[in-house]
Coordinates of all heavy atoms in Angstrom, one line a residue:
R797 N 17.0 9.0 17.0 CA 17.6 8.3 16.0 C 18.7 7.4 16.6 O 19.6 7.9 17.3 CB 18.2 9.2 14.9 CG 18.8 8.4 13.7 CD 19.1 9.4 12.5 NE 17.9 10.0 12.0 CZ 17.0 9.5 11.2 NH1 17.2 8.3 10.7 NH2 16.0 10.2 10.8
D829 N 2.9 6.0 -3.1 CA 2.6 4.8 -2.3 C 1.4 4.0 -2.8 O 1.1 3.0 -2.2 CB 2.3 5.2 -0.9 CG 3.5 5.4 -0.1 OD1 4.6 5.2 -0.6 OD2 3.3 5.8 1.1
G889 N -18.2 3.0 -3.7 CA -17.2 2.2 -3.1 C -16.5 1.4 -4.2 O -17.1 1.1 -5.2
A910 N 1.8 -12.6 -14.0 CA 1.0 -12.0 -15.1 C 0.3 -10.7 -14.6 O 0.3 -9.7 -15.3 CB 0.0 -13.0 -15.6

Side-chain angles (χ1 to χ4, degrees):
R797 184 168 298 277
D829 276 356

